[in-house]
Amino acid sequence: MTEISKATGIPCRNIYECINLLIMQYDVPIGGVRSKGRHGIFIATNEAERTAAVTPLANSAREIQRRVNKLQQMEL
């Protein structure tokens, strides 16, 4: 995102909003990579790329849900 932001002058937050819009309203299968120094976005063109896009999102969603569950169960 940083490279796109620097090249275009568009803040990263706006780029993320545009990516979300492309996915949610225009059905563009955009995925993100964040591993071992590799960061970037791509348009999935096959099942392997779709899986590469979905897997980290699903893992993050599970971890967030675990945190929500834990917080809801805590004594106050």
Side-chain angles (χ1 to χ4, degrees):
M1 273 339 122
T2 307
E3 289 181 31
I4 294 171
S5 180
K6 286 179 184 175
T8 62
I10 299 170
C12 285
R13 178 179 294 278
N14 293 72
I15 294 168
Y16 285 114
E17 289 171 359
C18 289
I19 290 169
N20 190 57
L21 180 71
L22 287 168
I23 294 168
M24 300 304 291
Q25 289 192 1
Y26 296 101
D27 296 331
V28 179
I30 298 173
V33 176
R34 284 183 272 152
S35 65
K36 299 179 184 176
R38 292 180 53 207
H39 294 80
I41 57 171
F42 62 95
I43 296 176
T45 59
N46 58 50
E47 281 303 317
E49 291 174 348
R50 182 198 318 257
T51 299
V54 169
T55 300
L57 291 173
N59 292 340
S60 292
R62 265 193 301 280
E63 286 303 311
I64 290 169
Q65 189 60 53
R66 283 182 58 217
R67 186 186 293 181
V68 167
N69 293 344
K70 181 68 175 178
L71 285 167
Q72 288 175 332
Q73 295 169 2
M74 287 180 181
E75 292 268 341
L76 299 177

